[in-house]
Amino acid sequence: MAGNTDNIHGWNPLYRDRDPYPLPGNNFDSFLFNHGRPGNFNYRLVAGTNVLDHQGHIVPQNILNIVLDPLMIAMSEACNNAVDVVNFINNQIPPRPWLQQVLNYVNALQAPPIAAPETNFFNWGTPVIANNAANAETRVGGFFSIMTWNPVNICRAPVDAQRGNYPGNAVDVQVFTYLNANILADPACLTAIQNVINYPNNAVVIEAFLSACSATLAAQLIAGAGFYAFPWRANPLAPGVLIPA
């Protein structure tokens, strides 16, 4: 799957832990930062329960990868340095301006004062193996992790096993419904999620969702977004299953 570095957004200082568990803290206090680099996700108690949260995708990785997997392989095969990445993005037909938004975010993380090393996003020292997803992940997977683990597509929810093995590999309609009803997410992202719910295997619809999420990245350098956290409760109709409160 494209973008396996689940702590990549820990390079953004706004998402680093400032209030360690077990204090309730802030939903943006998401990653430890040790020895000059992001560490593990900072699991916290889910409000209203005695269970820990996790990085739960709203639109799951298997759906995102309909678009991201072939794109990651194509970038890896076309690029051997930062200039190649710029050219790859500029030469997309049809244009994909959301890739430039991701690159802008990556460039901001690499610039002082954050100064994240380029190797966290691109590993140009690894030779290209054609049409090989694992090789592409090694070479450019950090860049694609920005999209796969974008906080605006992450809910700090109980794990699937505590939700009756829901949502599995489907869109998390429960979380979407809660966010939509309580106006807790970017409106463009909510619209895009609804479209993915309606057409989960449509690459055009998935790419529109990726575009909506990527459009939030510049603002995420100024203020945190996503990593949604809200109360949960026991489902009275299904013992042992948690649902949004």
Side-chain angles (χ1 to χ4, degrees), residues 3 14 40 49 70 73 93 95 116 127 142 148 163 173 176 180 211 220 226 234:
L14 296 175
N40 293 331
T49 79
I73 291 171
I93 300 173
T148 300
R163 301 174 60 190
V173 177
F176 164 75
N180 196 42
S211 178
Q220 289 187 53

Side-chain angles (χ1 to χ4, degrees), residues 34-229:
N34 301 317
H35 309 294
R37 62 181 302 106
N40 293 331
F41 182 70
N42 190 23
Y43 301 95
R44 295 183 181 277
L45 287 173
V46 175
T49 79
N50 63 353
V51 303
L52 292 175
D53 62 10
H54 80 305
Q55 290 192 82
H57 285 83
I58 302 170
V59 175
Q61 290 171 269
N62 61 294
I63 290 179
L64 298 179
N65 285 330
I66 292 172
V67 170
L68 293 183
D69 274 358
L71 193 56
M72 180 179 72
I73 291 171
M75 177 183 279
S76 177
E77 293 181 356
C79 299
N80 285 298
N81 53 56
V83 173
D84 287 347
V85 172
V86 172
N87 291 334
F88 176 82
I89 293 171
N90 289 340
N91 292 334
Q92 290 295 297
I93 300 173
R96 288 186 163 107
W98 55 276
L99 283 176
Q100 184 62 53
Q101 292 170 327
V102 177
L103 183 60
N104 292 345
Y105 183 81
V106 167
N107 287 340
L109 296 181
Q110 290 184 78
I114 301 171
E118 182 188 38
T119 52
N120 290 280
F121 310 100
F122 304 105
N123 183 353
W124 303 128
T126 299
V128 174
I129 301 175
N131 198 32
N132 186 298
N135 175 256
E137 177 68 35
T138 298
R139 300 188 81 248
V140 300
F143 178 85
F144 280 83
S145 295
I146 297 294
M147 293 167 266
T148 300
W149 298 94
N150 191 327
V152 298
N153 188 34
I154 298 294
C155 181
R156 301 187 66 127
V159 299
D160 290 9
Q162 292 157 340
R163 301 174 60 190
N165 296 317
Y166 178 87
N169 288 324
V171 178
D172 196 331
V173 177
Q174 286 183 356
V175 166
F176 164 75
T177 301
Y178 186 96
L179 296 176
N180 196 42
N182 292 278
I183 318 175
L184 293 178
D186 177 80
C189 290
L190 289 171
T191 298
I193 295 169
Q194 181 65 72
N195 290 335
V196 177
I197 292 170
N198 295 339
Y199 306 101
N201 298 310
N202 186 303
V204 173
V205 170
I206 296 165
E207 187 154 347
F209 170 72
L210 289 164
S211 178
C213 291
S214 299
T216 70
L217 288 170
Q220 289 187 53
L221 293 166
I222 301 169
F227 286 124
Y228 310 108

